[in-house]
Amino acid sequence: MAESVIDLNLDRIKGVGPKTKEKLIDNGITSVLDLAVTLPKELEEILGGKEENVNLFIVSARRLLEENGLLEREFITASELLKKRKSMRRITTSSTNLDELLGGGVETQAITEFYGDFGSGKTQICHTLCVNCYLPPEENGLSGGAIYIDTEGTFRPERIYQIAETRGLNAEEILKKIILCKIYNSNHLEVVIRTLGKYIEKFKAKLIIVDSIISLHRAEFIGRGTLAERQQRLNVLIHRLLRQADIYNVAVVVTNQVQTKPDTFFGDPTRPAGGNIIAHACTYRLYLKKSGPNRSATMVDSPYHPYGDIKFRITEKGIEDLAT
Ligand code: GTP
Ligand code: MG
């Protein structure tokens, strides 16, 4: 990568003068990347301009990122794509079965969603991944930090310490590499995701956790009348995350709750919350279930992964394979 994303200052966009720049920054759009992932409608509101003008800004921002190799061009050759795929990395979950289900671990340049009932292990997987992200590549980590975006207040540094310590790792060092971001409402989450880029660079993060992705939106947008707005805002949020995963080559892991579909007569009536919007944007979706004292995971809707479920357990070491 030629330039760092934060070096791409808004001044470099043609037509963005000091006044416009100030308005953008006031609204959390502080870099060319932020501008590139803003929706025209949003920008129109911020700048009070005509749609054709704001479109021009967004297109210029995208072009600048493309020229700097930070964003894929619309048309690329398959060989370029292969090269890009080769820069993809993985983080182990510490369960060989779960890793296998994921094709070798949690991928960068992708969003992996874990959904399931309360106590199914979503938060425990997130904690374990934060520890493993610190491991060197030869131990299936990324030698990087993690940003933990916590909307439920369930992040526990003590648990990180325990997982690291029982694995014989340097717990103190690992704790320093995990950045916690506590979220208070859906709007706060949207602002944090919008400005995530600079924190990814600052903390050299390789893993972004959002635990959980839609609980706040779900709690705040109640009733049919608000559904369309909620879905639109979630759509922006999740696509922004996906783009950040891509541009910064980081792994994004989100957790999601389940809802029961009352009109299901056959099979399991539980579905991940958030509808199609979350479904389309997430690269991989895994359904977690309690299975006696253990847990099971199934890859949902992926043509490339084996069908069927695998088992893992939650212990003082975090996530592990079942004892043999
Ligand atoms: P919600 O956030 O409530 O939807 O659930 P979740 O899917 O995030 O559940 P979570 O990952 O928090 O799993 C909770 C379960 O993990 C508990 O019921 C325990 O069985 C297990 N667990 C949590 N901490 C420990 C621990 O320190 N040691 C062991 N052995 N198990 C733990
Ligand atoms: Mg949880």
Side-chain angles (χ1 to χ4, degrees), residues 62-63 65-67 69-87 109 246:
R62 292 189 58 108
R63 289 273 176 271
L65 291 177
E66 286 166 11
E67 283 161 19
L70 294 165
L71 192 66
E72 250 171 58
R73 294 190 303 278
E74 286 97 337
F75 291 92
I76 62 168
T77 64
S79 98
E80 280 175 299
L81 186 61
L82 182 64
K83 207 165 126 201
K84 180 157 186 294
R85 291 278 304 162
K86 279 189 177 152
S87 66
Q109 302 171 23
D246 201 32

Side-chain angles (χ1 to χ4, degrees), residues 183-192 216-217 220 233:
I183 302 288
Y184 299 100
N185 58 41
S186 64
N187 195 43
H188 183 204
L189 179 63
E190 289 166 19
V191 172
V192 163
L216 293 172
H217 286 80
E220 288 170 36
R233 288 169 69 162

